[in-house]
Amino acid sequence: MKKLITILLILVCSHGMAADYYFSQASGDDTRTAAQAQNPATPWKSLTKAQTVFTTGNRLFFQRGETWYGSLTAQGSGTSGTRIFVGAYGTGAKPIITGFTDITAWDSPVSNVYTSTSAASTLSTCNILSINGGNYAKARLPKSGYYTIGTTNGSTTVTNSNISSSVVSANTGAQMVLRELMYVITANDITNVSGNTATFTAASPAVSWGFFLQNDIKMCTQANEWVYNTATKKLSVYGTSTPTNIKIPTIETGINCNSKQYITFDNLDIRGFNSTGINTTSQTGITIQNCDFSFIGQDG
C-alpha cells in the first residue's frame, strides 16, 4: 500500500509540473520568476527563457503581433495525454519567430552590383533572401532554362562550351545545378574550372540532361539578382540604387524538436530560416496547425 501511495504521489506531482508560460517583447521581463511568467500580465521576454520551459507538457504562449529573432530547441517530450504546446495569445497577427537579419551597409557599387561592407552571416551557405518582401533567385546562367550536358565523367565534371573561368569561378560559392532526373535537381559546389570543364562535389550528371550555373558575382547582371560569397560571407545584390529592405537568414533552423515527442505548434508565423522552419525528423506525435511558413531555404 505504501508503494502504491508513493507512486500515486509521484504521478500527481509530475502532472502538476506542467504549466502555462507567456512571452511578450513589449511587456516581457526575463528577471521575473517562473511563477510570474505563468500570468499573461507578467510575461517573460526572450526565446532564451522560452527554451528553458520547452519541456514536460508545458504550454508556451507568444504575444500576437510581436516578433522574436532566434530559435527554439525542445528540452523534453510531452505525452499523448499531456502534450507540449507552443502557440499564441492575445489579439492581432500571429507571433513571428524569425532568423532574418537586415543588411543595411553597402560598399560603393561596381557595375551596379552592391556588396555588403562586412559579412552578412556566419552560415556556410545562403539558400534564400528577401528583397523588399519578395523572393528572388540567385544570379545564374542561363537566365532561364538549362544548358545541355555534353560530356561528363558521371560524377564530378561537366564539359560544355558555355563554361569558362570568365563566367564562373571556383571556391567562392558558385554552383553547378544539375537536373539529374525529371524530379531531382541538385546544387553542387564548384571546386575547379579549367577550359570548358567544371569540377564539383560528387553528383550524378548524365549526358544530354540539363544544368545551369549559379551564385557567381560575374552572373549578377539583372535587377534583384544576388550572390552569397561563401569565402567572405558577403552578400552582393544587383540594383540601380542602394539596396533597401534586404533580409538574410542567419540561423539554419527555427524550431528543433530535438528527438522529442508529442508537441503541438499552433498559430505561429515561422519565417526567414536558411534550412528548416520546424525540424520534425523521425519524431512521433508532432502536430503543426494554423501555422504560416515563408522564406525557408529548404524544408518548411
Side-chain angles (χ1 to χ4, degrees), residues 116 118-125 228-235:
S116 60
S118 58
S121 171
T122 60
L123 300 183
S124 60
T125 61
Y228 182 73
N229 186 310
T230 58
T232 65
K233 307 295 192 294
K234 290 185 176 184
L235 177 70

Side-chain angles (χ1 to χ4, degrees), residues 7-50:
I7 292 170
L8 288 172
L9 285 172
I10 290 172
L11 290 172
V12 169
C13 291
S14 176
H15 184 270
M17 289 175 63
D20 293 352
Y21 294 91
Y22 295 86
F23 301 87
S24 170
Q25 287 288 293
S27 60
D29 185 343
D30 283 352
T31 65
R32 290 172 178 149
T33 66
Q36 288 175 309
Q38 293 173 41
N39 185 332
T42 52
W44 276 332
K45 183 173 185 175
S46 71
L47 292 180
T48 301
K49 275 293 190 182

